[in-house]
Amino acid sequence: ISLRVVSHLADQQKQEKQKKRQAARVSIIDCYNSTVEAREKIRAACQHRGLQVLFIETVCTDPAVLAQIFQYKLQTPKYAQLGEQEARNNIYSRYRKVARSYQTLKAENEPDTHFAKVFNHGTQLLQQHCTGFLQGQIALFLANCHTKKRCIYLSRHGESEFNVLGKLGGDSGLTLKGVAYSFALAGWFRSHAGHLQDGSTVYTSILKRTRQTASQLAGLPLHFKETRLLNEIDAGAFEQWTYEEIESKNPAEYKERAKDKFNYRYPAGGESYSDLVERLGAMIIEIQSQPKPVLVVSHQAVMRVLMSYYIDDLSQAACPTYEVPHNRLVQITPTAYGYTHKMVSLSRETAAVHKRLVENGWSDAVNPAHLCAEQYPEAAAPLSHLAPKSLTALQNQGPALLNAAL
């Protein structure tokens, strides 16, 4: 079967090149290939057709890891329809059959073979000839894989001053509605115990609006990390412009972007969505490595790319068109063969907090950046240095406001 697949892949690559289209960079053949002889035939076939091959072997001896693997397998369509005991017996029977004939990857037996062996889901990684960027990235990804159950939460920052003005990029602060969302977000996690755990990580970009959005979580026992990897797409020469300004002042660039939003790169050192995909590769591996639930507070373009990675129904090429509204939390749950997702709207909670803020004298008539700096002076500092006082900072405004925030 593997040899037929290799032949098919080679033909497909040839056809794509003839059509001058980019062929797939990575294909995965999920077969046992359990003997040295079988692997050598595949390696020779790939070499003959100009394809690189990397064999991946997972070794699990830890009873806890094996138990997690069995739990994942029981959720798959193949076993979900069987009774639990029947499914377990079937899995054990197949494993015993393979184990009798399987020849493990060893350097002395296969000195020319490119391979990576993962032990107990990342506790150890053995590599041989994993050369080049792509194979190195695959090995890095494998080293960060695990089967621990946890959720990944994605959130766009709260409404910012530039959102209201329709401007691209920049480093503006939150509006009053954005501040209200920061309270609603913290309130949701406080009222849903276990969704973030002690020691969970909250990731933000280095830009003010994401840090302010996450600032109300600072009183919880969490790790806060800021990274440029999560910064909004760089609009280059059009930073702090509106799309209307681009259309009127530089119509040629406006039309060029409309033709292909995924590959269009903003001028003067800006980025494209394609660039953003490359930039976020390291971030995805970082998220993957976390054994506890994580929260990522980022920006619209970043959210679009991350959602295209985690949600099957969303294609990467179409991600520039995805709607990513404010005041919504995306909950991603890893499963045996992919991810499930759920959208959690916090619009009602945000509106309730905003109403309380207005009732207590706050208004967008005040410079929103000044409002945030005055109300949350700690938001200008790195989150990891914040004192756990964010939620008590409003107590002098009255218990009603604090209750609404929670």
Side-chain angles (χ1 to χ4, degrees):
I1 294 174
S2 295
L3 291 174
R4 290 202 298 271
V5 173
V6 168
S7 179
H8 172 73
L9 287 174
D11 292 341
Q12 193 176 51
Q13 291 268 24
K14 186 177 180 180
Q15 292 172 10
E16 293 296 315
K17 288 179 180 178
Q18 289 174 346
K19 295 176 182 177
K20 296 183 178 181
R21 295 193 308 212
Q22 184 177 3
R25 298 177 65 191
V26 179
S27 297
I28 300 172
I29 304 177
D30 185 11
C31 291
Y32 288 120
N33 302 314
S34 57
T35 65
V36 174
E37 182 183 3
R39 291 193 290 268
E40 178 56 30
K41 287 181 179 179
I42 294 169
R43 191 182 71 82
C46 287
Q47 188 175 34
H48 176 70
R49 292 170 172 80
L51 301 173
Q52 294 184 1
V53 61
L54 175 69
F55 290 98
I56 298 170
E57 180 180 291
T58 61
V59 181
C60 297
T61 56
D62 185 333
V65 174
L66 287 169
Q68 290 170 347
I69 293 171
F70 278 120
Q71 285 303 315
Y72 270 115
K73 280 191 168 291
L74 291 173
Q75 298 170 19
T76 61
K78 181 175 182 177
Y79 294 109
Q81 59 189 355
L82 302 178
E84 182 173 340
Q85 192 56 51
E86 183 182 358
R88 286 182 179 277
N89 292 339
N90 187 290
I91 293 170
Y92 278 120
S93 174
R94 293 182 68 213
Y95 278 4
R96 283 194 294 269
K97 181 179 179 180
V98 172
R100 283 195 292 269
S101 61
Y102 190 81
Q103 297 173 338
T104 188
L105 287 160
K106 290 183 179 180
E108 55 266 34
N109 295 338
E110 301 172 76
D112 299 323
T113 298
H114 295 231
F115 70 76
K117 290 180 70 170
V118 187
F119 295 84
N120 294 319
H121 280 213
T123 56
Q124 285 183 303
L125 176 67
L126 175 64
Q127 302 178 51
Q128 176 171 283
H129 301 314
C130 288
T131 55
F133 174 78
L134 200 52
Q135 291 192 10
Q137 288 295 103
I138 291 170
L140 178 62
F141 181 80
L142 291 172
N144 287 280
C145 284
H146 59 79
T147 56
K148 293 182 175 68
K149 288 189 175 181
R150 85 279 189 230
C151 288
I152 300 163
Y153 296 93
L154 308 177
S155 174
R156 187 181 177 187
H157 59 77
E159 182 187 79
S160 72
E161 297 168 87
F162 275 15
N163 290 147
V164 175
L165 298 172
K167 291 186 175 183
L168 303 178
D171 192 18
S172 63
L174 298 180
T175 64
L176 194 64
K177 288 181 180 179
V179 171
Y181 176 67
S182 73
F183 275 95
L185 183 66
W188 189 86
F189 281 110
R190 285 177 176 272
S191 62
H192 290 75
H195 285 258
L196 286 181
Q197 302 169 3
D198 288 4
S200 286
T201 303
V202 178
Y203 293 97
T204 72
S205 72
I206 68 168
L207 299 174
K208 191 188 304 179
R209 52 195 183 273
T210 61
R211 294 189 289 117
Q212 289 178 344
T213 300
S215 65
Q216 302 311 318
L217 290 162
L220 300 174
L222 307 170
H223 296 303
F224 294 87
K225 293 186 179 181
E226 299 171 18
T227 171
R228 294 178 183 273
L229 293 174
L230 290 173
N231 279 8
E232 180 60 297
I233 191 169
D234 189 337
F238 297 142
E239 281 282 313
Q240 303 187 37
W241 287 39
T242 66
Y243 284 118
E244 290 75 16
E245 288 173 328
I246 298 172
E247 184 178 19
S248 62
K249 296 178 182 179
N250 203 326
E253 286 289 341
Y254 185 85
K255 291 177 182 177
E256 195 66 26
R257 177 180 176 274
K259 288 179 186 176
D260 184 358
K261 291 183 179 180
F262 183 76
N263 290 300
Y264 171 79
R265 181 175 289 113
Y266 286 102
E271 292 179 297
S272 66
Y273 272 88
S274 179
D275 296 329
L276 196 55
V277 169
E278 294 293 328
R279 193 221 295 173
L280 288 170
M283 192 68 230
I284 288 169
I285 291 176
E286 168 74 10
I287 294 170
Q288 176 70 25
S289 71
Q290 297 301 309
K292 294 184 177 182
V294 300
L295 168 63
V296 180
V297 182
S298 60
H299 306 265
Q300 179 169 252
V302 174
M303 283 281 291
R304 285 168 168 167
V305 172
L306 290 177
M307 288 168 64
S308 73
Y309 177 82
Y310 290 114
I311 301 176
D312 288 340
D313 296 339
L314 306 180
S315 72
Q316 200 172 78
C319 72
T321 63
Y322 300 161
E323 289 293 329
V324 185
H326 288 291
N327 310 330
R328 180 181 289 181
L329 187 64
V330 184
Q331 179 179 326
I332 307 291
T333 305
T335 63
Y337 290 96
Y339 302 89
T340 60
H341 71 280
K342 181 171 73 172
M343 302 294 181
V344 181
S345 174
L346 297 179
S347 296
R348 184 177 61 83
E349 293 84 349
T350 301
V353 177
H354 180 259
K355 180 181 178 182
R356 293 285 186 169
L357 286 167
V358 172
E359 289 173 350
N360 281 266
W362 294 104
S363 168
D364 274 329
V366 183
N367 182 304
H370 174 70
L371 170 66
C372 290
E374 180 178 292
Q375 183 70 338
Y376 314 107
E378 68 271 30
L383 282 174
S384 54
H385 298 151
L386 296 187
K389 61 182 181 180
S390 301
L391 286 173
T392 61
L394 287 175
Q395 285 180 335
N396 60 355
Q397 297 295 321
L401 177 57
L402 188 60
N403 289 338
L406 296 175

